[in-house]
C-alpha cells in the first residue's frame, strides 16, 4: 500500500512534446507520462485488458490507444473509451515546479471502473439484453454509464455470465489460462450495479410492436427497451457424417473445455476450415500434443482477407509446428460407427480422426425476431445509433450498421464490445453515432497480426516490408483506388495511427502510401 503519497520529479517540461509518451518511475512504481495541448498527465502504465505496455501505444489528442488490442482511454480522467478493456486507468497528480515535472501517487489501484449509475428501485423501467457475449456485456455497462437506473435483465442461452470468448481458441484452449481469468466481471459487480443475468434462457420470439419476449419455458418478459446481442450460431458441416459423435464447434467456453481435454490426450484431430478460428484451434491443439490436419476450401489460408503472400507465410508458421494442410479440398463425408473414425476428402484421401473441429464461420442468430426484416446473411439493419426500430437495438455479429461505403456487418470482438457500449449509452438517452473503424487481432503461432478497416475485395496490396523475409511488416489493401484496410505484424503504432486517421477522415492516398509514411508523425499533424 502507498502510505499517504509518494512524489518524485520525473522529467523536465521540455523532455516531452505534445503527443508523446514516456514511462517514468515514482518510488517503486512505474507510471505513464503523457503530454497533450501543453498539459502533462500521469496514469497507470499498463492496459487494463491484457496488461500491454501503454508507452508502446499511440496518443492522439487525449485518446490513448493500447498497442496490442486497441483499447482506448482518456488521459484526462483515465476513463475507458473503447473496448476491449472494461476498466479505466488510475490517474495521478502532476505539478510543475522550476521547469520540472513532479508526479504524486495517491493510489495503488491498477484499474478503475468508469463512473456508473446505481440502480434505483423507484425506476420501474426494464431494459432487456438478449445475449451475454462482448456486445451484451458492454451494453449493460453502457446503460449504467449513460445514467439509466432502472432494471437491467440479461437473457442468455449460455450457462455462463459474460466471459472472454477470444481466449477460448488461444491460451485457455492451450491450458495456459485458468478458469478464473475467463469471466469479464465478478458476480459482485453485476449485483452491485443491478444487472440480473439469467443463464439457460432460450428466446423463441421477440415482438417489437408489443415489446414482449417469449422464452422456451413458456414465460414472457415485457420490456421498455431491448437490445439484441444474440451473436452467431456455428455453421454445421453439411457432408454425411457431420452429426456423428466427436464433431465439435469452437464457439463457447464449454466447447473450449471439451476440446482442451481431448487435446491433452494426444488425439488425432481434423480441423475443417482454414480461417482464424480453425487455425487458432489448430495451433492450440497442437501445443497440447494432438496430431492436427487442416482441411480448407481456400488454396491459401486467409487469401481473401490478407492476400496470398501473407497467407502462405502464416501457413508455413503452422507447418513448422507439425500441422498438416489439405487445401483446395472439401470434406466428402465423415465415416464411423456412432463416432468419428475417418474424414474422407473430395479427392478420396482419407484422414484418420479421433475427433473433428469445425471452423466454418457462423450465421447470425435472428430467427426469433418477429416482424423485423432479415438480411440475406441473417443479420438486421440498424441506424447510426444501432437502433433497429423504436425501443429496439442491435449490436455485435448480427448488426448491419451504416458506413461510408454502405452497411457493414463485422464479426469481431472489439467491434461487438464497442457497439454494445454505444448502444447501451443510446438506450440510456444519449445520441452517440457508431463510427469506429473495424479492428481485429489474431494469434498465429505466437505472432499477433492486427488488422484495421474493411474490404469486400482486394484490388491490390502494397507492402512495407517483405512478409516472406522480415519479422515485421505492413500490408495495405486497396479497393476502388483507396486504402481500405491494413494488416501488420509488429507494427502496432502504425496500425493505430492508420485507424485513427481513417476515423478522422484523414486517410492518405494510395500514391502517398506507396512512397512510404511515418504514420505516427502523420497523425500528429494538425
Amino acid at each position: 500500500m502507498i502510505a499517504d503519497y509518494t512524489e518524485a520529479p520525473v522529467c523536465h517540461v521540455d523532455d516531452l512534446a505534445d503527443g508523446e509518451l514516456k514511462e517514468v518511475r515514482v518510488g517503486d512504481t512505474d507510471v505513464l507520462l503523457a503530454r497533450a495541448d501543453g498539459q502533462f498527465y500521469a496514469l497507470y502504465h499498463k492496459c487494463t485488458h491484457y496488461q500491454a505496455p501503454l508507452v508502446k501505444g499511440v496518443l492522439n489528442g487525449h485518446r490513448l490507444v493500447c498497442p496490442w488490442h486497441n483499447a482506448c482511454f482518456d488521459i484526462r480522467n483515465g476513463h475507458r473509451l473503447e473496448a476491449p478493456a472494461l476498466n479505466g486507468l488510475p490517474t495521478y497528480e502532476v505539478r510543475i515546479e522550476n521547469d520540472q515535472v513532479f508526479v504524486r501517487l495517491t493510489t495503488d489501484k491498477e484499474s478503475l471502473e468508469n463512473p456508473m449509475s446505481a440502480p434505483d428501485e423507484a425506476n420501474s423501467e426494464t431494459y432487456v439484453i438478449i445475449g451475454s457475449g462482448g456486445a451484451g456485456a458492454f451494453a449493460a455497462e453502457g446503460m449504467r454509464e449513460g445514467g439509466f437506473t432502472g432494471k437491467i435483465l440479461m437473457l442468455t442461452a449460455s450457462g455462463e455470465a459474460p466471459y472472454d470468448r477470444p481466449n477460448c481458441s488461444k491460451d485457455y484452449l492451450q491450458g495456459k489460462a485458468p478458469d478464473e481469468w475467463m469471466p469479464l466481471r465478478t458476480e459482485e459487480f453485476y449485483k452491485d450495479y443491478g444487472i440480473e443475468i439469467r443463464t439457460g434462457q432460450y428466446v423463441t420470439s421477440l415482438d417489437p410492436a408489443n415489446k414482449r419476449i417469449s422464452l422456451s419455458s413458456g414465460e414472457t418478459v415485457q420490456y421498455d427497451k431491448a437490445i439484441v446481442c444474440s451473436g452467431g450460431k456455428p455453421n454445421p458441416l453439411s457432408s454425411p457424417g457431420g452429426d456423428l459423435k466427436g464433431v465439435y464447434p469452437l464457439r463457447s467456453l464449454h466447447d473450449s473445455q471439451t476440446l482442451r481435454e481431448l487435446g491433452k490426450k494426444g488425439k488425432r484431430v481434423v480441423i475443417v476450415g482454414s480461417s482464424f478460428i480453425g487455425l487458432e484451434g489448430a495451433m492450440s491443439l497442437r501445443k497440447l500434443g494432438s496430431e492436427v490436419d487442416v482441411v480448407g476450401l481456400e488454396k491459401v489460408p486467409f487469401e481473401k482477407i490478407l492476400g496470398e503472400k501473407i497467407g502462405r507465410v502464416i501457413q508455413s508458421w503452422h507447418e513448422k509446428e507439425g500441422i498438416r494442410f489439405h487445401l483446395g479440398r472439401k470434406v466428402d463425408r465423415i465415416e464411423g460407427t456412432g463416432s468419428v473414425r475417418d474424414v474422407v476428402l473430395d479427392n478420396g484421401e482419407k484422414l484418420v480422426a479421433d475427433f473433428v473441429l469445425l471452423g466454418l464461420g457462423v450465421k447470425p442468430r435472428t430467427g426469433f425476431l418477429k416482424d423485423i426484416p432479415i438480411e440475406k446473411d441473417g443479420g438486421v439493419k440498424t441506424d447510426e445509433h444501432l437502433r433497429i426500430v423504436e425501443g429496439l437495438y442491435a449490436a455485435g455479429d448480427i448488426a448491419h450498421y451504416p458506413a461510408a461505403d454502405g452497411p457493414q456487418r463485422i464479426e469481431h470482438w472489439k467491434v461487438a464490445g464497442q457497439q454494445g457500449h454505444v448502444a447501451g449509452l443510446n438506450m440510456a438517452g444519449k445520441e452517440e453515432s457508431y463510427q469506429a473503424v473495424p479492428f481485429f487481432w489474431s494469434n498465429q503461432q505466437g505472432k499477433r497480426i492486427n488488422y484495421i478497416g474493411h474490404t469486400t475485395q482486394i484490388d491490390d496490396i502494397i507492402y512495407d516490408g517483405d512478409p516472406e523475409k522480415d519479422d515485421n511488416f505492413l500490408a495495405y489493401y486497396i479497393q476502388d483506388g483507396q486504402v481500405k484496410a491494413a494488416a501488420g505484424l509488429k507494427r502496432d503504432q502504425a496500425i493505430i495511427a492508420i485507424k485513427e486517421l481513417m476515423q478522422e477522415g484523414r486517410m492518405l492516398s494510395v500514391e502517398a502510401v506507396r512512397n512510404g509514411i511515418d504514420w505516427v508523425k502523420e497523425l500528429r499533424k494538425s
Side-chain angles (χ1 to χ4, degrees):
M1 292 291 290
I2 297 173
D4 296 327
Y5 68 86
T6 302
E7 185 177 75
V10 293
C11 71
H12 289 89
V13 291
D14 294 334
D15 289 345
L16 249 66
D18 279 348
E20 290 186 343
L21 301 167
K22 181 180 178 66
E23 198 167 279
V24 298
R25 193 84 170 165
V26 179
D28 296 327
T29 303
D30 292 319
V31 172
L32 182 71
L33 195 66
R35 182 170 178 170
D37 297 332
Q39 298 292 315
F40 286 88
Y41 302 89
L43 308 97
Y44 184 71
H45 67 297
K46 290 184 179 181
C47 180
T48 58
H49 179 229
Y50 269 16
Q51 299 294 296
L54 291 171
V55 71
K56 295 184 178 180
V58 171
L59 183 60
N60 180 24
H62 296 108
R63 290 167 51 84
L64 172 61
V65 185
C66 169
W68 290 359
H69 307 117
N70 282 208
C72 184
F73 307 90
D74 189 330
I75 60 171
R76 294 170 294 187
N77 51 28
H79 292 175
R80 180 260 299 138
L81 298 176
E82 293 184 12
L86 285 157
N87 283 353
L89 302 168
T91 58
Y92 311 118
E93 295 179 33
V94 178
R95 67 181 179 87
I96 311 295
E97 182 179 320
N98 297 327
D99 291 331
Q100 281 207 314
V101 180
F102 287 79
V103 173
R104 177 179 292 188
L105 305 187
T106 56
T107 177
D108 62 350
K109 293 185 178 181
E110 297 182 355
S111 67
L112 294 171
E113 296 162 8
N114 278 13
M116 288 187 277
S117 297
D120 182 355
E121 292 183 359
N123 187 337
S124 61
E125 287 189 296
T126 297
Y127 288 4
V128 175
I129 302 165
I130 297 176
S132 62
F138 276 90
E141 298 195 25
M143 294 172 195
R144 291 293 188 230
E145 287 180 41
F148 177 63
T149 60
K151 181 178 180 180
I152 297 177
L153 173 62
M154 181 181 291
L155 301 172
T156 176
S158 171
E160 292 84 24
Y163 58 86
D164 184 8
R165 181 172 288 156
N167 215 338
C168 288
S169 59
K170 304 180 183 72
D171 284 356
Y172 187 77
L173 180 54
Q174 295 168 29
K176 295 180 181 178
D179 288 348
E180 54 265 28
W181 282 16
M182 298 302 283
L184 295 183
R185 293 292 197 187
T186 63
E187 292 182 12
E188 289 76 18
F189 173 89
Y190 292 117
K191 183 178 180 180
D192 288 346
Y193 288 103
I195 300 167
E196 181 184 352
I197 300 174
R198 293 178 56 184
T199 58
Q201 302 296 313
Y202 293 85
V203 174
T204 56
S205 72
L206 185 152
D207 179 357
N210 294 299
K211 295 187 174 181
R212 183 171 60 239
I213 296 168
S214 299
L215 305 177
S216 59
S217 63
E219 181 185 356
T220 60
V221 177
Q222 294 292 142
Y223 67 85
D224 294 284
K225 293 181 182 179
I227 179 168
V228 184
C229 308
S230 45
K233 181 179 181 180
N235 290 322
L237 182 66
S238 58
S239 306
D243 57 350
L244 284 171
K245 182 181 179 182
V247 178
Y248 301 99
L250 177 49
R251 179 70 175 173
S252 69
L253 186 64
H254 175 73
D255 296 336
S256 186
Q257 291 166 342
T258 300
L259 292 164
R260 184 177 61 185
E261 292 308 307
L262 289 169
K264 287 178 181 178
K265 299 174 183 178
K267 299 287 189 177
R268 296 163 297 185
V269 57
V270 173
I271 295 177
V272 184
S274 57
S275 195
F276 293 104
I277 290 297
L279 289 195
E280 286 182 358
M283 168 188 69
S284 297
L285 290 169
R286 181 63 182 150
K287 288 182 183 296
L288 287 174
S290 293
E291 292 293 320
V292 181
D293 287 274
V294 174
V295 178
L297 287 172
E298 294 179 301
K299 292 184 178 179
V300 178
F302 313 118
E303 183 176 7
K304 292 181 180 179
I305 301 171
L306 299 176
E308 181 178 349
K309 182 179 288 190
I310 295 177
R312 290 195 186 281
V313 169
I314 295 174
Q315 181 180 338
S316 73
W317 297 343
H318 290 283
E319 287 175 333
K320 287 177 182 176
E321 300 300 323
I323 294 170
R324 299 179 291 266
F325 284 83
H326 310 266
L327 299 173
R329 302 262 64 92
K330 65 180 180 179
V331 174
D332 181 72
R333 64 188 182 277
I334 298 178
E335 296 180 338
T337 304
S339 61
V340 171
R341 184 185 69 243
D342 301 298
V343 176
V344 182
L345 307 186
D346 56 353
N347 63 352
E349 184 178 5
K350 184 176 289 188
L351 305 175
V352 178
D354 296 304
F355 66 102
V356 173
L357 167 58
L358 301 182
L360 299 174
V362 300
K363 183 177 181 180
R365 296 178 185 266
T366 53
F368 58 87
L369 293 175
K370 182 178 179 181
D371 298 328
I372 297 292
I374 304 298
E375 300 301 299
K376 289 182 179 179
D377 64 0
V380 293
K381 278 188 177 179
T382 74
D383 64 15
E384 63 180 328
H385 301 112
L386 299 169
R387 184 186 297 111
I388 305 174
V389 295
E390 188 61 36
L392 184 63
Y393 295 73
D397 293 357
I398 73 168
H400 286 261
Y401 63 94
D405 298 327
Q408 291 181 354
R409 187 178 70 82
I410 307 292
E411 297 173 359
H412 304 327
W413 181 255
K414 176 180 169 67
V415 170
Q418 193 58 20
Q419 285 183 353
H421 182 240
V422 170
L425 290 173
N426 291 337
M427 291 173 72
K430 308 293 183 183
E431 285 293 313
E432 186 172 323
S433 298
Y434 179 77
Q435 298 176 331
V437 171
F439 168 88
F440 75 84
W441 75 91
S442 181
N443 185 330
Q444 301 290 326
Q445 293 298 345
K447 299 176 175 66
R448 175 173 41 81
I449 293 179
N450 285 356
Y451 182 102
I452 52 97
H454 177 70
T455 63
T456 55
Q457 67 178 42
I458 300 173
D459 299 332
D460 191 16
I461 304 175
I462 301 171
Y463 295 98
D464 178 357
D466 187 342
E468 297 174 329
K469 298 177 181 178
D470 301 332
D471 68 349
N472 69 88
F473 59 80
L474 277 173
Y476 306 99
Y477 299 97
I478 314 303
Q479 182 177 352
D480 299 330
Q482 295 179 300
V483 179
K484 293 291 188 179
L489 175 66
K490 297 183 181 179
R491 296 289 190 92
D492 297 337
Q493 290 186 329
I495 286 289
I496 294 169
I498 294 168
K499 178 175 69 70
E500 294 290 299
L501 287 165
M502 283 182 172
Q503 288 185 174
E504 295 173 6
R506 295 201 286 139
M507 189 56 191
L508 300 185
S509 68
V510 172
E511 190 58 34
V513 169
R514 289 189 192 278
N515 291 331
I517 300 293
D518 182 333
W519 287 105
V520 175
K521 184 177 179 180
E522 187 66 32
L523 180 63
R524 288 174 182 163
K525 292 180 180 178
S526 58

